[in-house]
Amino acid sequence: MNKKIFLLLIAVLMAGIFSAFANDADTTAYLGDKKPKKEKPKKDKSGVRTGWTFGILPSIAYDADKGFQYGLLSNVYYFGDGSTYPEYLHSLYFEAAYTTKRSGLFRFSYDSKHLLPGHRVKLDVSYLPDALCDFYGYNGYQTVYNHGWANKKSEDYISRAFYKSQRDLLRIAGDINGSIGEDWYWNAGLGLLWYNIAPVNIDMINKGKKPENMLPDVDGMYDKYVKWGIISPAEANGGWHPYLRGGISYDNRDRLQNTNKGMNADFFLTYYAGFGEDKYANSLIFNASFRHFVPVYKDWIIFAYRLAAQLNVAGDAPFYINNYYNNLFIQRVLYEGLGGGNTNRGILRNRITAKSYAFANIEFRFNLCKFDIGKEHFAIGLNPFLDMGLILQPYRLDEKIITNNILQNDPDFDLDDLSDYIVFDESKNIYRPHLSAGIGLKLMMNDNFVLSVDWAAPFDKRDNGSLANIYVKMGYMF
């Protein structure tokens, strides 16, 4: 780990600790019926909160794929008369942030179990611009990944934007659930995704840079996939996609954050449609996930694992929809599969693009020590983990069709070099598991706030040519 990354981690850890104290501090205001009042929210002797509480905190994180994130966030809670504390009546969340690798985050979400009694309601509106979104082609190992092409220190260097594209995403989502009985729930959702997909805007990236730091204006992997007809014209530039979702879930976990025991399973279908000049999508996608938390020794050692799959059961979804990992009740900003900090740590983000896939996360969660600072309860944890991704339904890459498209649309390309991009005669490699392993450090406060620092490395260099795969986020990955 170089000096810059070490200093960055220290800064993020300090910001996280500051955020934890700020989030629990009495720097909040109570809003009366008519106008704001200056007094703080009321508390009884047991520390129960009433009324409104809020705080403005730094939005700081680090992701090996997205870079260092900086911005602001605010969480507003309403506890009413305090009778449901620590459960809130309403939660409003605001965040605006940007990363050093030109990925943006502008988000509002609302969460409540009391807007409709007996039901949980969640709304999410997010705009996520990404000037350098990862694109490595289709079918995992069937697409060749050449680390040197994007590494400026390599003799094979082409451009650090070679495996990138521009992707802007607007998401409007609403979800609701209700109890069926015992620990079973029904779920329903309605939403809209708008994607703007394009080649990297080289002029924008180069603006204000010194000549030696400017990116060359060359075709990247995304440009070649469009020219070669692998990405169809109907999906090449994105589109509008309303969706409808429904399913069931089982949940008997002892708590949602820093879970010690219990199981959670989700089974649901999502129907995507497309409209606009190029109607494309009309697909039905099935998702299943199972999370299990087993206490090995009280709450000091927990064995945790997640098994998940996303299957395209009907229709034909565009590649960017297949890269969007569906979730009930959106918690993280964006779930992408496969590869990256939300599915397969240590493997490049979107490295494994396919129509259907499965993945697993297995880890031990050790509590190394527990201590108090004032009235706050802290713990430091360590968790070694193993991640795996697997393609279930690949894209069909026909060598003859691709060759004909190259001759028509990319005549300057040397067909002898096609094997540097796609390995047609090793289709069995498509189904080979993508494995990675690593270790995480956790700082926990009051059993709900978790500051997480994970490091991971792939088993195969074809999944990532770098070992600087660090992810600094809030909460456990699952």
Side-chain angles (χ1 to χ4, degrees):
M1 185 185 303
N2 61 40
K3 184 177 180 180
K4 290 183 179 179
I5 294 178
F6 177 76
L7 293 176
L8 178 63
L9 287 177
I10 295 298
V12 172
L13 284 168
M14 293 301 293
I17 294 171
F18 165 77
S19 299
F21 281 110
N23 194 44
D24 201 61
D26 292 335
T27 56
T28 53
Y30 171 75
L31 300 181
D33 295 331
K34 297 182 179 180
K35 60 182 181 179
K37 297 180 181 180
K38 293 184 178 180
E39 64 264 31
K40 298 177 183 178
K42 299 175 182 179
K43 290 185 178 182
D44 64 18
K45 293 181 181 180
S46 64
V48 172
R49 294 196 175 195
T50 63
W52 293 89
T53 72
F54 73 91
I56 298 176
L57 312 171
S59 173
I60 298 177
Y62 180 79
D63 188 304
D65 297 307
K66 297 181 180 181
F68 177 64
Q69 177 180 303
Y70 54 93
L72 292 174
L73 63 85
S74 178
N75 217 153
V76 181
Y77 296 99
Y78 179 64
F79 293 101
D81 61 5
S83 60
T84 63
Y85 184 85
E87 182 178 299
Y88 50 79
L89 298 181
H90 306 281
S91 168
L92 295 91
Y93 180 85
F94 306 86
E95 186 171 8
Y98 211 65
T99 78
T100 52
K101 292 188 178 181
R102 298 182 180 272
S103 174
L105 160 59
F106 305 92
R107 184 186 181 199
F108 163 76
S109 68
Y110 168 81
D111 189 12
S112 175
K113 291 183 179 179
H114 299 271
L115 181 67
L116 298 175
H119 301 80
R120 181 184 179 187
V121 176
K122 184 154 189 176
L123 304 175
D124 182 278
V125 179
S126 300
Y127 175 58
L128 309 170
D130 196 341
L132 294 169
C133 180
D134 299 275
F135 181 82
Y136 297 96
Y138 293 171
N139 297 345
Y141 291 135
Q142 190 176 23
T143 297
V144 178
Y145 166 64
N146 191 321
H147 177 67
W149 288 357
N151 185 356
K152 197 171 183 179
K153 296 179 180 180
S154 172
E155 295 180 356
D156 300 326
Y157 176 72
I158 298 176
S159 169
R160 68 179 179 88
F162 183 82
Y163 291 109
K164 307 291 182 181
S165 66
Q166 178 181 316
R167 184 196 65 190
D168 300 331
L169 170 60
L170 172 66
R171 177 183 64 209
I172 303 173
D175 291 282
I176 184 172
N177 79 355
S179 177
I180 299 174
E182 295 295 331
D183 296 314
W184 288 92
Y185 303 86
W186 61 264
N187 299 274
L190 184 68
L192 175 68
L193 301 180
W194 171 74
Y195 278 90
N196 175 44
I197 310 292
V200 173
N201 188 336
I202 298 297
D203 292 337
M204 187 270 287
I205 299 294
N206 285 337
K207 187 176 181 180
K209 292 185 178 294
K210 296 180 181 179
E212 62 271 19
N213 294 326
M214 288 188 175
L215 295 177
D217 190 2
V218 297
D219 285 349
M221 182 69 87
Y222 170 80
D223 304 88
K224 294 184 182 298
Y225 263 54
V226 173
K227 285 185 177 181
W228 299 351
I230 301 174
I231 293 178
S232 68
E235 63 181 324
N237 298 314
W240 294 89
H241 302 283
Y243 68 83
L244 183 65
R245 176 174 297 154
I248 60 173
S249 61
Y250 175 83
D251 194 347
N252 71 347
R253 290 172 292 175
D254 61 337
R255 54 193 179 199
L256 298 182
Q257 295 291 333
N258 197 18
T259 306
N260 287 328
K261 62 180 179 179
M263 295 182 290
N264 171 226
D266 297 324
F267 308 94
F268 60 94
L269 288 164
T270 304
Y271 168 73
Y272 283 101
F275 63 89
E277 293 182 3
D278 294 316
K279 294 182 180 179
Y280 192 86
N282 294 310
S283 58
L284 186 65
I285 296 175
F286 172 72
N287 282 86
S289 70
F290 177 74
R291 292 180 284 181
H292 192 194
F293 305 87
V294 182
V296 178
Y297 178 69
K298 298 182 179 179
D299 62 347
W300 287 91
I301 304 175
I302 307 298
F303 175 65
Y305 63 92
R306 173 174 65 169
L307 307 175
Q310 179 161 300
L311 309 174
N312 190 324
V313 296
D316 193 13
F319 75 92
Y320 48 84
I321 292 293
N322 287 330
N323 269 341
Y324 184 92
Y325 177 61
N326 297 303
N327 264 264
L328 296 174
F329 294 102
I330 297 168
Q331 299 294 333
R332 293 187 181 273
V333 176
L334 185 61
Y335 299 85
E336 295 177 291
L338 290 172
N342 289 321
T343 52
N344 294 138
R345 292 159 287 191
I347 295 174
L348 293 164
R349 179 176 60 143
N350 296 334
R351 172 66 179 105
I352 314 161
T353 296
K355 292 184 177 182
S356 301
Y357 51 82
F359 64 94
N361 311 108
I362 303 169
E363 59 186 46
F364 279 93
R365 299 176 179 179
F366 297 95
N367 275 329
L368 301 181
C369 64
K370 299 179 182 181
F371 57 93
D372 293 341
I373 299 179
K375 297 181 180 180
E376 316 300 339
H377 307 297
F378 287 88
I380 295 177
L382 197 67
N383 68 300
F385 56 81
L386 173 71
D387 295 344
M388 181 184 74
L390 184 69
I391 291 175
L392 300 179
Q393 183 185 6
Y395 286 92
R396 180 173 178 265
L397 301 181
D398 189 295
E399 185 173 6
K400 291 183 179 179
I401 294 175
I402 293 173
T403 298
N404 288 335
N405 288 333
I406 291 174
L407 292 174
Q408 294 178 21
N409 304 316
D410 197 5
D412 294 330
F413 182 79
D414 188 345
L415 287 174
D416 291 336
D417 294 334
L418 186 55
S419 60
D420 291 336
Y421 297 84
I422 303 173
V423 185
F424 293 100
D425 58 351
E426 292 189 16
S427 58
K428 291 182 180 179
N429 250 345
I430 294 173
Y431 302 101
R432 180 181 175 184
H434 297 251
L435 295 166
S436 63
I439 194 165
L441 179 66
K442 313 295 177 184
L443 174 62
M444 294 162 278
M445 190 181 87
N446 294 334
D447 286 325
N448 50 37
F449 172 86
V450 180
L451 179 63
S452 174
V453 181
D454 289 337
W455 174 87
F459 285 24
D460 194 315
K461 289 186 178 180
R462 289 179 293 176
D463 281 327
N464 196 338
S466 171
L467 294 178
N469 307 312
I470 297 173
Y471 311 91
V472 182
K473 299 185 179 183
M474 298 299 173
Y476 282 97
M477 187 174 71
F478 66 94

